[in-house]
């Protein structure tokens, strides 16, 4: 008889971002990676959906980082997520600009022009919702998250 306990897949750990809804003003990127840690976030405006991504969490620093996103999702789209819906004319361009303006990874070399480090991942646009935007980072695919407006 062989001991197969070492063959068992370790359980994943789940971390709920902003569990009581009092976090306000935060913004993170969850970079997809096989870490065993799954981050969950309430998303989609009034839908109050729970989306999740396994990976590692990178905080974005600054003030009012979610302002551009809130202008799009709360102001223009009136708190309706967007997942699986057609994007209104011009809104997708504003979303690209809002993501591009955030930055994430800076260059340590003074002669670099520091190209945008976060890019809207339009190949995964069908996954996009308020507080859950697929992005490409210099470390690979990820998701931009912030506090849902519900």
């Amino acid at each position: 008889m062989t001991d197969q306990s070492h063959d068992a897949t370790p359980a994943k750990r789940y971390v709920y971002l902003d569990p009581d809804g009092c976090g306000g003003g935060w913004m993170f990127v969850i970079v997809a990676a096989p870490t065993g840690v799954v981050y969950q976030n309430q998303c989609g405006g009034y839908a109050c959906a729970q989306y999740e991504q396994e990976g590692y969490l990178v905080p974005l620093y600054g003030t009012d980082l979610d302002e551009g996103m809130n202008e799009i999702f709360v102001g223009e789209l009136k708190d309706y997520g967007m997942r699986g819906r057609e994007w209104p004319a011009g809104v997708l361009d504003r979303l690209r600009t809002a993501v591009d303006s955030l930055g994430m990874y800076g260059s340590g070399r003074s002669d670099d022009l520091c190209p945008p480090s976060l890019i809207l991942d339009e190949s995964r646009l069908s996954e996009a919702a308020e507080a859950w935007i697929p992005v490409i980072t210099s470390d690979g695919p990820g998701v931009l998250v912030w506090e849902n407006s519900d």
Side-chain angles (χ1 to χ4, degrees):
M1 180 171 231
T2 60
D3 176 20
Q4 295 186 8
S5 62
H6 60 83
D7 294 333
T9 302
K12 293 193 185 289
R13 301 286 184 172
Y14 288 81
V15 177
Y16 186 75
L17 303 175
D18 197 22
D20 62 1
C22 294
W26 54 268
M27 188 171 270
F28 303 119
V29 173
I30 306 167
V31 179
T35 62
V37 179
V38 178
Y39 293 93
Q40 297 177 326
N41 194 40
Q42 182 178 331
C43 306
Y46 290 139
C48 295
Q50 301 294 321
Y51 301 154
E52 61 183 44
Q53 174 66 58
E54 181 178 4
Y56 58 91
L57 195 67
V58 178
L60 299 182
Y61 297 101
T63 57
D64 300 321
L65 290 174
D66 59 353
E67 188 174 303
M69 297 300 178
N70 286 334
E71 287 175 8
I72 294 169
F73 287 96
V74 178
E76 188 162 351
L77 299 175
K78 308 295 185 223
D79 289 323
Y80 290 97
M82 278 311 291
R83 194 168 232 186
R85 296 185 183 186
E86 190 71 29
W87 287 82
V91 175
L92 186 56
D93 287 335
R94 287 191 294 287
L95 182 61
R96 281 186 202 107
T97 300
V99 169
D100 182 64
S101 71
L102 292 171
M104 186 171 149
Y105 302 101
S107 173
R109 295 178 20 189
S110 60
D111 59 342
D112 281 350
L113 296 177
C114 296
S117 54
L118 286 180
I119 300 169
L120 178 64
D121 187 347
E122 295 187 40
S123 71
R124 297 176 17 219
L125 200 55
S126 64
E127 300 172 23
E130 180 190 359
W132 193 269
I133 302 297
V135 293
I136 299 169
T137 74
S138 59
D139 293 328
V143 182
L144 177 66
V145 296
W146 65 95
E147 183 181 22
N148 188 48
S149 70
D150 72 331

